[in-house]
Amino acid sequence: MGQPVLNSMLLGSTDPERLKSWYRDGFHAEVDGYGNLNLGGFGLVIEQRDDVAAKTAEPGRFVVNFAVDDIEAAAAHLRTLDVEWLVHPEDRGVGWFATLVDPDGNYVQLIQMKPEYYAGL
């Protein structure tokens, strides 16, 4: 048996269409024939769930991370969509990080690592 490959995640929501639109518009996601989002080869499946609340109780339990080439450009685009920011882009030494909140209360992070980080790998 080969090593499993993480290729998607399921995000349950009481309002999946609103959440799909938010991720599609905010992150330029392509929508496949099943209504799932393709984010750079990673699938984000957002489905109606009756076993979740409208807002998450523990937004830090998992964080959706997006690697970006230009965090300021990504943040500028997201600001046009009037997103809720938890942390605006900030330098944390190894890279730039920002955290925003999706409509269901989940944390979403933008990450732009510095070239020095990759040089040390």
Side-chain angles (χ1 to χ4, degrees), residues 98-115:
T99 307
L100 50 150
V101 183
D102 79 12
D104 283 6
N106 302 302
Y107 290 166
V108 177
Q109 208 165 221
L110 305 177
I111 302 171
Q112 179 185 345
M113 300 307 288
K114 293 180 180 177

Side-chain angles (χ1 to χ4, degrees), residues 27-49:
F27 299 98
H28 309 289
E30 297 175 8
V31 181
D32 71 16
Y34 299 100
N36 300 320
L37 304 177
N38 180 342
L39 294 154
F42 185 82
L44 183 58
V45 180
I46 301 174
E47 292 184 349
Q48 175 76 39
R49 298 286 300 228

